[in-house]
Amino acid sequence: MWQYKSGTHLVVQAENLPELKGTEAYQVWLIKGENTYNAGTFLSQDGNGALYYSFNPQNFDAVAITLEPDAVGDNPRGKIVLAAPIKRG
């Protein structure tokens, strides 16, 4: 996470991800308690992918990346491949 006067920016950069097949995509989710919020979708190339998202970190507890069957889900449906708590400074 990077904090600037204009807000806080989440930069997700992942490596060594499983290769995508067919319509699969990676989705990034911000998590607050039992609720999930879609922070975007990315496709990987050679196992690498990235996403940039502006948000208020005070509103969330964690971030997760899931491997989804397609890029249009409103809720996580696939397996979590990476997850981390959001640290507040």
Side-chain angles (χ1 to χ4, degrees):
M1 282 188 317
W2 300 97
Q3 284 191 308
Y4 296 97
K5 290 180 183 177
S6 62
T8 300
H9 308 287
L10 174 70
V11 177
V12 174
Q13 183 174 347
E15 299 175 349
N16 300 316
L17 294 167
E19 284 297 318
L20 297 173
K21 298 177 182 121
T23 61
E24 288 180 333
Y26 289 101
Q27 284 188 284
V28 178
W29 304 95
L30 294 169
I31 301 166
K32 179 68 174 181
E34 296 296 317
N35 298 313
T36 56
Y37 302 88
N38 189 335
T41 302
F42 67 91
L43 302 176
S44 63
Q45 187 170 16
D46 298 323
N48 300 314
L51 178 127
Y52 175 89
Y53 188 79
S54 297
F55 76 119
N56 181 345
Q58 302 302 322
N59 295 340
F60 302 100
D61 302 318
V63 60
I65 299 173
T66 56
L67 175 56
E68 299 291 335
D70 55 50
V72 295
D74 292 329
N75 293 296
R77 298 165 288 155
K79 175 184 170 186
I80 294 175
V81 294
L82 296 168
I86 293 176
K87 296 181 181 179
R88 295 172 188 90

